[in-house]
Amino acid sequence: MKTVRLEIDGRSAEVPEGTRLWDAALSLGIEIPVLCHDPNLTPVGVCRMCAVQVEGERVLTAACVREVAEGMVVRTATDKIERCRDVLTELLLSEQPARSARQATTGDDALLALAAERGVARGRLPAAGSGRGSDDSSPVIAVDHQACILCDRCIRACDDLQHNDVIGRTGKGYTTRIAFDLDQPMGDSSCVSCGECVAACPTGALTNHALGAAVRPVAELASVDSVCPYCGVGCAIRYHADPAENRIVFAEGREGSGNQGRLCVKGRYGFDYVSHPQRLTRPLIRVDYPKRALSPEVESSRRIQGSGKGKGKGKGEGKGKGEGKGKGKGGGRRHIVDYDQVLPAFREASWDEALDVVAERLGAIRQDHGPGALAGFGSAKCSNEEAYLFQKLVRAVFGTNNVDHCTRLCHASSVAALLQMIGSGAVTTTFGDIENSDFALITGTNTTANHPVAATFFKQAAARGAKLLVVDPIRNPIADHAWRFCQIRPGTDVAFYNGMMNVIIAEGLVDTDYVSRFTTDFDAVASTVARYTPRVAAGICGISEDILREVAIEYGKARAAITFWGMGMSQHVHGTDNCRCIISLCLMTGNVGRPGTGLHPLRGQNNVQGASDAGLIPMSYPDYQPVTSNEARAHYEAAWGRPLDPKAGLTTVEITEAAREGQVKGMYILGENPFLSDPNTNLVREALTRLDFLVVQDIFLTETAEFADVILPATSALEKAGTFTNTDRRVQLGHPVLRAPGDARLDWQIICEIATRMGYPMRYDDAAEIFAELVSHSNSYRGLTHENLGEGGKLYPCPDPDRSEGTVVMFGDGFPTENGRARFVAADHKGADELPDDAYPLVLITGRVLEHWHTGQMTRRSYALDAIEPDAFVSLHPADAAAAAIADGDWVRLTSRRGEITLAARIQEGTQPGSVFVPFHFREAGANTLTTDQLDPDGKIPEFKFCAVRLSKSLSSPEA
Amino acid sequence: MIGETLRARIDAEIARFPVKRGGLLGALHIVQEGQGCVSLAASKELAAIFDVFPVEVIELVRFYNFFHESPRGRHQVYVCTNLPCALRGANVLLKGLEQHLGVGVGETTADGRVHLGREECLGACANAPMIRVGGVYHEDLDLAGACAVLDALE
């Protein structure tokens, strides 16, 4: 790299060509004051505070934007410069409101700090530009236009970091101010409340609203570095908490991890569920028998109805071409469970009594009916340590492999295909590696809602010129950033990708060198896709032959193509086939194993990767050692000192079915809520009712817990130490921020107590000791300890944790299979299990929304998230709405062969005609009342993304 | 709604530029001329047509004095009051026109005939003072001349 020599304040510096003066000065330890500049943002030089003197020039120049030049002589602090800065500071100060909202909240008003440092006081100059107003319409962000110094930081944070492009400037002169969309109130704009603008603002113009506790300066609070408890992106986060009140006050993104300081609305504003008054604080034992559902929403799905004044203003006021989102503000707290309906069925108990009951009843079932009559659901929301102990309990103490968790409902089919074809179920590269790609295939994922911070990097790649090919039956907002968006018919993924591969082979774009060096069985795929000519594929998936050809050719020609997929691919009865196709596509073009290439199934929950790594799945011990392998079993029998079940256990939906049939009689459910999350709710209800004994361990009284015999109060992710492994294979250490409420106990300690009381003493001093035991069984995690994970965590495998962040790109030189090669596996288009017909003419696709997560236990108890998105809804295309005479906000009934729900209609262009979308978070209109429990044969994942429904206008409001 | 006729003119404007968004300023003029203003609804439509974010349209509309977001009478009359015009009596002229029309700056006559506004420099300094009526400049004016121009408007 060419360097440039220059002199700054009499000292010489040598910096790379293109360096800005501000950075060059910093490299010498000279800090030039700035207001508009932030090293994360593109410099714009609007505040002029960093003005410096370049020798020989007539006027001062802004150091943040000025590039260095050979031989430049710069002075950063002459009398003239200091005078200019003082005047500038005083001018800015004169416009400021009397009280800085920032100083009063987070206490980091950069302008006031600068004024104090320079000894500049206000008062001498008249305030000319008053009356720009304020805006309190957002539930999370307060806008005080009067405090705005027009530094453009929020605009750049919104545009260049989050790529939401909501904020701009309007007006001129003294009336200039920032504006949202069409200068709407922030709360009515397309703002997604990520709070990046608040983080970037140097004054009181954009500040955080209080969420349960008044926002106070960092100096008065205890700051703890941890990991966001929500999605699989695993953002590094810093919580500022009030130890006396035991409450989190506010949260900030942290550098050093994959998120690079960015957060989304859930991470930044969704923490107050931890302090919700409904937290469970004492063990509960059921007194109400025979067992039955306790709240009306759980008792009967047919009667369950959404509520709320659902006139969602669903029109796309929004930014860009995306969909609007109805934001009925009336939601409030009406839709979480009413404890008065549920608690009378239970009595409080001591830990000793509750744990004894659990151990005794589970032990008796094991004794009377054999180990196979027991089963456990662990949780992807819990730590690696807890996942490891939970599966150890089920395997070594219960004596069965009937242990599973929500991976079965999210990426089981992806993992099945990956293990079969490339010998490893984890991602081959990180989401951030898209910065090295010139092409990205993004399919079956509403990334901006479900992995919002990962999506910012995708949007950033698109802005830099990488071609995004977005393939999805629903036009989600990421499609606005796409080079091509292919809205395929639901359930036709295999045909689309086989068509692409057909073109790639026909056009001679196969990387034959890669295929011959690193793969086998290419011919099997070649002969299958030969039948999927563009015409055939187009006929099935509904994308024109020309587009299919065009996207295939561009993909085939890409220098480095990366592939991201979500549950739109995996949650089908042909989910494994879907994934096989994109893996084949990747392999035949050699798009794996190099920077900017690879396969990345975006994992849904914060620790779904880690829970699977730790063996919380019925077919494998930790690190994917098959339970059917004699060698692996012998290893764990020796390590755990108990005989282990040689048969693979039942998967999630199979366990529910076995419970319904009376074969599984006792269950331990930790942090899962199958009543809402599993398919075909009516069957789940039957299964839960039929269990002889159910113990539920959770932080709130879930719908599932209504069927429990014992409920154990657990700790949230923000109250305990433990590691979480994100979608990137990044193992990060979460630190406790708060004390657990009441008598709630650490989850791993509860597991140990149950094991010990069942005759298998389990004792650990702390989570670090459990982690060490997990690592001792895992080649992937080898070398990792709580101590060496550091602030940003490590990407496993990490052979040298002391010196390296770990492995970003895997499989550059072959695959962890027997012959070191990946194996092509062909797939044919089979179609969904339940196709639409005259009686049920529409396709139901279920999924999630930005503000909510899983079954809403946490997010619906977070004030801001609930306020932004309070109600259940179904989105449908204007044509389908018109056909059924349904207007936006009308109440509609959705009926499938399995059940019926009533909820508000949201009319959205992005939903494909002939299909409807319902998020599954909402207990008052549980989407899974409608879904089918048919499974993918390999991944055993249910078909959440396709079943047949009919839609009708509901004549009466459910509140009537 | 931006109708077919205006849309055709906008498409022709777009065709003049190497990148689509280059035509946005021209499109705003076309819409204002055709609809009497650039409404928020029109801004939103333009954002979709030009494949830009809504805030990018509103930034333009709000920056330039010659766009307005609600209708402003049949004829828009603007008086330049920047320095050269001011030195040659533009402010007196403006006051006089206020009296003549019976409205203040930024207001429209009750019959909706004339909207009177103040304008930044229109590049006619050599012939100050001046007024702009729609797209037409009237220069070297005195109050009587200006009133005559206004009286001649329908």
Side-chain angles (χ1 to χ4, degrees):
Chain A
M1 192 190 307
K2 233 185 125 186
T3 58
V4 167
R5 271 168 309 184
L6 73 163
E7 188 190 304
I8 304 176
D9 290 346
R11 298 161 62 189
S12 58
E14 186 165 353
V15 295
E17 200 176 38
T19 303
R20 319 279 180 155
L21 276 181
W22 189 84
D23 298 297
L26 195 65
S27 73
L28 294 173
I30 301 168
E31 274 193 64
I32 302 173
V34 280
L35 286 172
C36 73
H37 185 51
D38 178 306
N40 276 331
L41 303 171
T42 314
V44 289
V46 298
C47 80
R48 316 312 287 180
M49 197 59 73
C50 68
V52 294
Q53 179 73 58
V54 175
E55 198 172 276
E57 293 187 2
R58 190 176 58 86
V59 293
L60 302 181
T61 185
C64 70
V65 287
R66 182 68 182 272
E67 282 184 17
V68 295
E70 186 64 40
M72 217 179 217
V73 177
V74 182
R75 279 191 299 278
T76 70
T78 63
D79 286 350
K80 177 182 170 189
I81 292 170
E82 298 294 3
R83 253 195 336 273
C84 284
R85 287 179 187 156
D86 285 347
V87 170
L88 197 50
T89 306
E90 196 176 353
L91 282 165
L92 288 171
L93 210 54
S94 71
E95 307 278 308
Q96 289 292 300
R99 169 184 171 278
S100 160
R102 198 170 198 91
Q103 210 55 19
T105 56
T106 46
D108 53 348
D109 188 312
L111 174 58
L112 294 190
L114 184 68
E117 191 185 308
R118 309 195 65 80
V120 173
R122 72 158 84 213
R124 210 165 53 108
L125 301 165
S130 58
R132 286 186 290 165
S134 60
D135 173 2
D136 261 339
S137 58
S138 159
V140 290
I141 298 167
V143 187
D144 180 358
H145 288 294
Q146 197 49 50
C148 175
I149 59 168
L150 298 168
C151 67
D152 272 10
R153 275 212 217 182
C154 58
I155 297 175
R156 282 172 286 153
C158 190
D159 291 2
D160 302 343
L161 296 182
Q162 293 276 346
H163 292 272
N164 292 326
D165 296 86
V166 177
I167 314 180
R169 282 176 179 223
T170 67
K172 292 190 300 187
Y174 289 128
T175 63
T176 312
R177 57 190 186 115
I178 55 167
F180 309 97
D181 287 347
L182 295 166
D183 199 18
Q184 289 147 298
M186 191 182 207
D188 295 341
S189 73
S190 63
C191 167
V192 293
S193 308
C194 69
E196 201 69 51
C197 56
V198 175
C201 180
T203 72
L206 293 161
T207 52
N208 288 322
H209 275 313
L211 293 171
V215 185
R216 291 179 9 230
V218 172
E220 298 173 23
L221 302 169
S223 302
V224 180
D225 287 358
S226 201
V227 186
C228 176
Y230 288 109
C231 80
V233 177
C235 292
I237 195 165
R238 179 167 297 144
Y239 291 104
H240 303 285
D242 179 340
E245 294 278 323
N246 199 36
R247 284 197 78 111
I248 293 172
V249 173
F250 72 101
E252 288 180 307
R254 199 153 55 76
E255 301 284 340
S257 183
N259 59 312
Q260 295 182 12
R262 304 171 197 181
L263 291 178
C264 77
V265 63
K266 289 192 287 287
R268 200 183 306 268
Y269 298 116
F271 50 75
D272 49 325
Y273 72 91
V274 191
S275 302
H276 193 275
Q278 283 193 334
R279 278 295 296 273
L280 294 172
T281 58
R282 282 187 215 299
L284 299 170
I285 292 180
R286 190 180 200 98
V287 291
D288 179 83
Y289 289 94
K291 234 185 247 186
R292 59 186 177 91
L294 300 167
S295 63
E297 290 85 349
V298 173
E299 188 196 341
S300 158
S301 320
R302 292 193 71 86
R303 266 181 39 200
I304 294 169
Q305 296 174 327
S307 102
K309 306 275 183 282
K311 276 285 176 196
K313 1 169 198 132
K315 303 286 155 45
E317 288 301 279
K319 183 72 72 103
K321 310 94 231 172
E323 295 305 316
K325 47 181 178 168
K327 287 195 200 169
K329 289 279 163 57
R333 300 293 159 112
R334 287 168 298 160
H335 299 321
I336 54 176
V337 63
D338 180 354
Y339 274 18
D340 288 344
Q341 291 169 347
V342 180
L343 281 181
F346 296 89
R347 66 172 170 83
E348 290 190 353
S350 71
W351 271 105
D352 271 338
E353 185 191 3
L355 289 166
D356 281 343
V357 170
V358 171
E360 192 185 310
R361 295 289 301 276
L362 292 176
I365 291 170
R366 183 184 55 185
Q367 185 80 38
D368 297 346
H369 304 283
L374 293 178
F377 288 166
S379 174
K381 295 185 273 298
C382 287
S383 65
N384 289 320
E385 292 79 359
E386 289 154 351
Y388 172 77
L389 281 197
F390 190 87
Q391 61 88 37
K392 183 177 174 182
L393 169 85
V394 174
R395 293 199 155 105
V397 186
F398 291 7
T400 172
N401 288 312
N402 291 342
V403 60
D404 209 350
H405 73 290
C406 63
T407 189
R408 197 62 45 207
L409 312 176
C410 90
H411 269 304
S413 46
S414 308
V415 171
L418 287 164
L419 283 173
Q420 179 188 30
M421 295 172 70
I422 68 169
S424 165
V427 298
T428 73
T429 192
T430 63
F431 62 79
D433 195 22
I434 193 173
E435 70 174 344
N436 299 309
S437 315
D438 62 344
F439 196 102
L441 167 60
I442 298 173
T443 178
T445 166
N446 183 6
T447 327
T448 55
N450 298 326
H451 305 90
V453 173
T456 66
F457 292 90
F458 303 172
K459 294 185 273 186
Q460 191 166 327
R464 135 181 93 68
K467 287 178 173 162
L468 305 193
L469 168 59
V470 175
V471 183
D472 205 297
I474 298 175
R475 188 187 168 100
N476 289 311
I478 191 69
D480 292 344
H481 302 263
W483 159 73
R484 291 289 179 271
F485 168 58
C486 294
Q487 190 161 23
I488 58 170
R489 293 185 186 125
T492 62
D493 315 74
V494 168
F496 179 84
Y497 294 107
N498 279 352
M500 269 182 79
M501 285 190 273
N502 178 296
V503 174
I504 283 169
I505 292 172
E507 296 284 333
L509 294 168
V510 172
D511 185 342
T512 48
D513 178 54
Y514 185 88
V515 169
S516 66
R517 282 170 63 205
F518 292 116
T519 71
T520 64
D521 297 353
F522 173 68
D523 293 344
V525 164
S527 66
T528 297
V529 304
R531 297 197 301 276
Y532 291 82
T533 59
R535 174 161 307 178
V536 170
I540 300 171
C541 69
I543 300 300
S544 78
E545 289 177 53
D546 289 347
I547 297 285
L548 193 63
R549 219 176 255 117
E550 182 194 23
V551 300
I553 289 171
E554 283 299 313
Y555 179 91
K557 286 180 175 168
R559 178 186 51 77
I562 194 166
T563 301
F564 297 97
W565 72 96
M567 282 153 233
M569 293 296 278
S570 62
Q571 289 174 336
H572 285 281
V573 292
H574 47 84
T576 308
D577 280 344
N578 286 351
C579 300
R580 286 174 180 136
C581 287
I582 46 179
I583 297 167
S584 292
L585 183 65
C586 228
L587 290 173
M588 74 169 55
T589 49
N591 273 310
V592 70
R594 289 178 288 124
T597 69
L599 292 156
H600 193 122
L602 288 154
R603 311 308 299 258
Q605 299 202 356
N606 54 340
N607 200 36
V608 72
Q609 180 66 54
S612 304
D613 295 343
L616 200 62
I617 43 179
M619 57 290 285
S620 319
Y621 298 120
D623 209 21
Y624 305 95
Q625 299 303 302
V627 295
T628 49
S629 146
N630 288 333
E631 196 188 334
R633 192 169 61 255
H635 168 86
Y636 283 100
E637 285 182 340
W640 295 341
R642 282 288 176 101
L644 299 175
D645 184 357
K647 297 191 312 292
L650 299 175
T651 60
T652 299
V653 180
E654 291 171 332
I655 288 172
T656 306
E657 182 58 16
R660 205 173 63 89
E661 287 171 355
Q663 282 140 20
V664 164
K665 294 177 184 301
M667 278 194 77
Y668 180 10
I669 297 181
L670 161 54
E672 288 273 287
N673 189 12
F675 185 84
L676 278 186
S677 67
D678 288 22
N680 200 347
T681 308
N682 283 309
L683 293 189
V684 179
R685 183 188 302 99
E686 279 180 41
L688 292 172
T689 314
R690 180 122 197 238
L691 284 173
D692 284 349
F693 184 76
L694 171 63
V695 50
V696 170
Q697 178 174 325
D698 215 307
I699 61 172
F700 295 110
L701 221 158
T702 61
E703 287 71 23
T704 302
E706 293 190 21
F707 301 92
D709 295 272
V710 175
I711 300 172
L712 302 174
T715 37
S716 77
L718 306 182
E719 291 153 353
K720 58 193 172 193
T723 58
F724 299 87
T725 306
N726 81 349
T727 189
D728 279 347
R729 297 176 264 106
R730 188 184 293 274
V731 187
Q732 300 183 93
L733 181 58
H735 297 281
V737 186
L738 301 179
R739 300 180 300 279
D743 293 342
R745 285 195 184 174
L746 294 174
D747 293 81
W748 66 262
Q749 288 175 341
I750 303 173
I751 298 169
C752 288
E753 284 286 349
I754 292 174
T756 305
R757 282 163 208 254
M758 289 182 78
Y760 184 88
M762 225 188 231
R763 282 193 186 85
Y764 298 91
D765 287 338
D766 54 22
E769 187 186 351
I770 306 167
F771 188 68
E773 182 175 316
L774 161 62
V775 170
S776 75
H777 297 302
S778 171
N779 275 331
S780 302
Y781 283 49
R782 185 185 292 159
L784 300 181
T785 64
H786 274 201
E787 288 70 35
N788 68 19
L789 288 176
E791 288 177 2
K794 301 288 179 199
L795 294 162
Y796 82 74
C798 184
D800 186 6
D802 293 328
R803 270 176 289 275
S804 135
E805 192 198 27
T807 311
V808 176
V809 177
M810 306 208 23
F811 312 136
D813 52 359
F815 295 91
T817 55
E818 271 178 27
N819 56 12
R821 287 160 177 264
R823 177 181 149 212
F824 281 96
V825 179
D828 261 308
H829 170 71
K830 297 187 190 75
D833 175 65
E834 185 185 63
L835 295 171
D837 55 20
D838 288 346
Y840 297 94
L842 297 169
V843 176
L844 168 69
I845 300 173
T846 67
R848 299 184 281 164
V849 299
L850 169 65
E851 292 82 3
H852 290 292
W853 197 65
H854 201 236
T855 59
Q857 299 301 323
M858 293 148 69
T859 51
R860 299 193 91 186
R861 290 179 175 91
S862 293
Y863 167 78
L865 303 177
D866 182 50
I868 298 170
E869 192 65 278
D871 295 314
F873 68 90
V874 49
S875 68
L876 66 158
H877 190 270
D880 292 327
I886 289 165
D888 197 46
D890 277 355
W891 291 104
V892 298
R893 247 197 329 266
L894 264 187
T895 314
S896 80
R897 290 186 174 83
R898 293 154 294 279
E900 180 174 295
I901 55 176
T902 302
L903 67 182
R906 203 174 275 185
I907 298 175
Q908 296 185 318
E909 297 268 355
T911 315
Q912 185 168 147
S915 65
V916 297
F917 172 82
V918 179
F920 75 91
H921 316 287
F922 301 97
R923 70 194 300 270
E924 66 277 20
N928 284 314
T929 307
L930 309 174
T931 51
T932 162
D933 52 322
Q934 290 301 305
L935 303 182
D936 173 274
D938 300 302
K940 306 286 183 191
I941 192 170
E943 191 154 53
F944 287 120
K945 293 288 190 257
F946 201 115
C947 75
V949 294
R950 68 165 177 262
L951 173 80
S952 58
K953 192 165 172 167
S954 176
L955 295 177
S956 62
S957 148
E959 284 178 338
Chain B
M1 280 292 290
I2 295 173
E4 272 176 40
T5 323
L6 289 185
R7 181 60 202 260
R9 287 180 61 194
I10 290 169
D11 287 341
E13 183 72 10
I14 290 171
R16 296 176 54 215
F17 292 89
V19 289
K20 198 174 181 183
R21 61 194 297 155
L24 181 52
L25 202 54
L28 289 170
H29 281 292
I30 291 168
V31 168
Q32 173 147 305
E33 193 187 306
Q35 302 192 331
C37 67
V38 184
S39 64
L40 284 180
S43 287
K44 197 170 140 190
E45 273 185 78
L46 286 171
I49 291 171
F50 281 87
D51 206 22
V52 298
F53 293 100
V55 75
E56 296 177 276
V57 180
I58 214 71
E59 281 177 334
L60 277 185
V61 173
R62 296 270 169 90
F63 181 79
Y64 292 105
N65 269 12
F66 38 74
F67 297 125
H68 39 90
E69 293 166 51
S70 50
R72 282 187 173 176
R74 286 202 298 286
H75 303 284
Q76 279 114 51
V77 175
Y78 294 99
V79 181
C80 172
T81 56
N82 280 180
L83 191 60
C85 284
L87 289 173
R88 295 198 23 109
N91 287 309
V92 177
L93 180 72
L94 185 60
K95 277 257 172 342
L97 290 182
E98 281 181 323
Q99 274 168 10
H100 183 70
L101 292 169
V103 296
V105 172
E107 292 174 359
T108 305
T109 54
D111 58 2
R113 192 175 66 97
V114 175
H115 174 90
L116 181 66
R118 192 197 298 272
E119 183 63 285
E120 306 300 323
C121 181
L122 290 162
C125 313
N127 304 88
M130 60 83 71
I131 65 174
R132 173 168 76 82
V133 180
V136 181
Y137 284 15
H138 300 270
E139 302 168 335
D140 289 319
L141 288 172
D142 55 15
L143 181 58
C147 290
V149 170
L150 299 198
D151 291 345
L153 298 172
E154 284 175 23

